Amino acid sequence: MHNRLRQARQLLHYHPAFLILKKISARELSMLGLRSKEVPARRQHASKEQKLKMEKCLIVSKVTRYEYEKHSHDNISNWELEKILRNRGSDYDSMVSNHKEQKSFEEGVAKALKEMGVKVEMASRLTYNEEMINWCDAVVPCGGDGTFLLAASRVRDANKPVIGFNSAPHKSVGRLCLPTWCSNDLKGALQALKEGKFRWMRRSRIRTTITSDQKLLDSITPVDLHTLHFCRYPPVSNQEDSHEAATRLKDPQEESKCSLATKVLPFLALNEVFIGESVTSRVSLLRLKIDDGKWAHTKSSGLCVTTGTGSTSWHYSINCLRTHSVLELMKILHEEYGVDLDTSLEKAREVTEKYNTKLMFPPDSEQLAYSVREYITFEEWPAPRGLRVRDRAEAVTVRSHCTDAGLVIDGSVSFPFNDGTQALLEIHPEDSLMTVQMDDALPF
C-alpha cells in the first residue's frame, strides 16, 4: 500500500490520467490528501474552457476481421467466404458473432445520438475522408485504440474533438477511449458529455516532414496496412544496386546539391512513428540526428519515436524492465560487488516499477521520446560513439540507407522510406488533438 501511494504522489503532478489508469480507491485518495469528489470537480471545471458542440457527429467504425476477410477476397458471397475460412481453420462462427456485436454497438451509438437531435454520418476505414471530417463537429470512433488512432490521424483541426467509445470493453482496455461505463450506458455517457461532466485533454502529435529527391517525392504515398493483402511495397528491381545503395553513406553536403524537395505528410501520429525495413529480419541502416546534435550512423531493428500518449504503449514495451532481470542485477551487485542490497523479490518488483514508471510522460508534452530497437554495437558501429539508445528530444531527424523500408504512423499507415529519404519528426502545439476524459465512476 505505501509503495503504491508513494508512486501515486510522484505521478499526480504530471499525469492526470493516472487516477484512471491505476484505479486509485477512495481510501487511497484520502491518504494522498484528496477526496474522491475533488477529481470530477476539477475535470468538470476544466471542461468550461470550451463548450462541446455535438450538432453533427461522424461515427468512425471499426473494420472487423469478418469485413477484412470479405474485402480481401473481393467481396465473394457469404457461403464461399465461410467455406474458405473454415477450410483454413478459422473460427468462422466467432468471427461472425464479433462482427454482429461490433455493428450492433455502432448502431446503438448512432441511435442514442439521433435521439438527442444530433445529425449522424457513418464512415469506415475505406470511406473516412477530409470532407466528412470538415462536415462534423466531433469525430466519434467506435472500436478500440486502433480505431481511435485511425480517426485521430486525419483530424488536422486542433479544436475538433475526437471522442472514442470502446465497443468491446470486456475484451480490450481501450485507454484512449471513454471509460467502460460509457460503453455500457451510451445515453448516460452522451448526457454527461452534453452537460460538460468531463475534462478536456490536449494530446500532442508528431508532425513528419519528408525531404527527398524531387523526382521521388511524388512516389512517397500512403499505404494502408490494414487493407493490404500481400506485400507492402513492390519488390526491389535490382538487388545489387539496392545493396550498394544501402551500404553507401553519402555526405549530407553532397546530397544537398541534388534537387531536393520537401513535403509534410498528411497524417499526424498520436502514438508513435516507426521507421525500419519492411522485412523484420533485415538490419535497418539509419542515420540519426537528435535535436541539433551530430549525425550518427546506426544499425538496428528500426527506430520508434513516440509522444507522451504513446509512452504507455510500444515505447513502454520496448524499454520496460522485467522483475526477474532486475532481481538478477541486484544479486550480482550484492554478491559480486559487495553492495549492501535487499535482494528480495518484493524489493526487485518495487525497483522495476519505479524504473518503468519513469518511461511514461504527459500526453501534452512537447517532447518526443525515441528508442533504437536492438541497437547493434560492434567494431565501427555506431559512428560516432555516444548515441543513447533511448532518450527524450525536441526533434529527431532520420536519413534512410535502407532498401525496402517504411515510415509507419500509428501502426496503420506506411510511407516508403528508402535510401536518401530524410524525415524530420517534431511536435507543434497547433497539431495537438482535442480529446475528453471522464471518470471511471458515473458522474451522477
Side-chain angles (χ1 to χ4, degrees), residues 53-327:
K53 183 180 179 182
M54 294 182 67
E55 295 177 4
K56 295 180 289 184
C57 286
L58 175 63
I59 295 177
V60 180
S61 65
K62 174 183 178 179
V63 175
T64 65
R65 181 60 184 268
Y66 179 82
E67 287 177 303
Y68 173 79
E69 294 290 353
K70 186 91 170 176
H71 178 76
S72 298
H73 290 86
D74 298 320
N75 293 309
I76 59 177
S77 69
N78 294 339
W79 179 84
E80 291 175 305
L81 180 62
E82 179 180 356
K83 183 179 179 181
I84 291 172
L85 294 179
R86 289 193 186 280
N87 288 337
R88 197 174 68 188
S90 298
D91 189 344
Y92 179 79
D93 294 329
S94 176
M95 199 179 294
V96 172
S97 175
N98 291 338
H99 170 74
K100 291 180 178 178
E101 182 181 312
Q102 172 66 29
K103 297 308 155 186
S104 174
F105 183 87
E106 293 168 7
E107 291 169 4
V109 174
K111 181 181 178 182
L113 285 168
K114 289 176 181 178
E115 288 176 353
M116 293 176 62
V118 178
K119 295 180 181 178
V120 178
E121 291 290 341
M122 304 282 287
S124 69
R125 180 180 292 275
L126 300 176
T127 61
Y128 187 47
N129 57 41
E130 186 176 355
E131 183 180 349
M132 301 182 84
I133 295 170
N134 292 337
W135 168 83
C136 70
D137 299 317
V139 178
V140 183
C142 294
D145 285 346
T147 307
F148 189 100
L149 290 170
L150 163 70
S153 67
R154 304 185 190 186
V155 176
R156 308 290 300 197
D157 186 348
N159 292 316
K160 180 159 293 188
V162 177
I163 304 169
F165 283 89
N166 185 358
S167 59
H170 56 291
K171 297 179 182 177
S172 64
V173 176
R175 294 192 183 279
L176 298 175
C177 301
L178 295 173
T180 299
W181 73 263
C182 295
S183 300
N184 297 328
D185 182 11
L186 295 174
K187 291 183 178 180
L190 293 172
Q191 187 62 34
L193 289 171
K194 183 179 179 180
E195 295 175 3
K197 294 177 180 178
F198 62 88
R199 183 177 68 85
W200 288 114
M201 170 177 277
R202 287 196 175 274
R203 296 181 180 271
S204 298
R205 296 188 287 181
I206 301 173
R207 180 190 298 183
T208 305
T209 305
I210 295 291
T211 301
S212 180
D213 187 292
Q214 177 71 61
K215 298 177 182 178
L216 298 176
L217 196 65
D218 291 339
S219 67
I220 301 177
T221 55
V223 176
D224 190 334
L225 300 182
H226 289 266
T227 56
L228 196 65
H229 315 320
F230 304 107
C231 115
R232 297 196 307 176
Y233 306 115
V236 178
S237 58
N238 189 321
Q239 294 294 336
E240 292 184 3
D241 290 347
S242 300
H243 178 71
E244 291 176 4
T247 55
R248 182 175 64 252
L249 298 179
K250 304 172 186 176
D251 188 322
Q253 293 183 350
E254 290 183 8
E255 291 185 356
S256 65
K257 297 176 183 178
C258 301
S259 176
L260 298 179
T262 297
K263 73 174 180 180
V264 177
L265 296 186
F267 298 92
L268 295 168
L270 179 58
N271 261 9
E272 75 276 314
V273 173
F274 176 76
I275 298 174
E277 286 281 3
S278 302
V279 179
T280 56
S281 60
R282 184 182 291 163
V283 173
S284 297
L285 301 176
L286 301 171
R287 185 184 296 176
L288 309 181
K289 185 168 74 169
I290 309 304
D291 295 327
D292 296 323
K294 295 181 179 179
W295 285 98
H297 308 310
T298 67
K299 289 184 177 181
S300 69
S301 294
L303 173 74
C304 181
V305 181
T306 186
T307 63
T309 296
S311 66
T312 62
S313 185
W314 196 1
H315 169 80
Y316 184 90
S317 297
I318 292 172
N319 296 292
C320 71
L321 294 179
R322 306 299 176 185
T323 300
H324 72 273
S325 298
V326 173
L327 182 59

Side-chain angles (χ1 to χ4, degrees), residues 366-383:
E366 294 185 14
Q367 277 197 314
L368 303 162
Y370 72 88
S371 303
V372 183
R373 296 178 68 209
E374 297 168 328
Y375 197 15
I376 298 175
T377 56
F378 69 97
E379 298 175 358
E380 73 276 13
W381 293 92

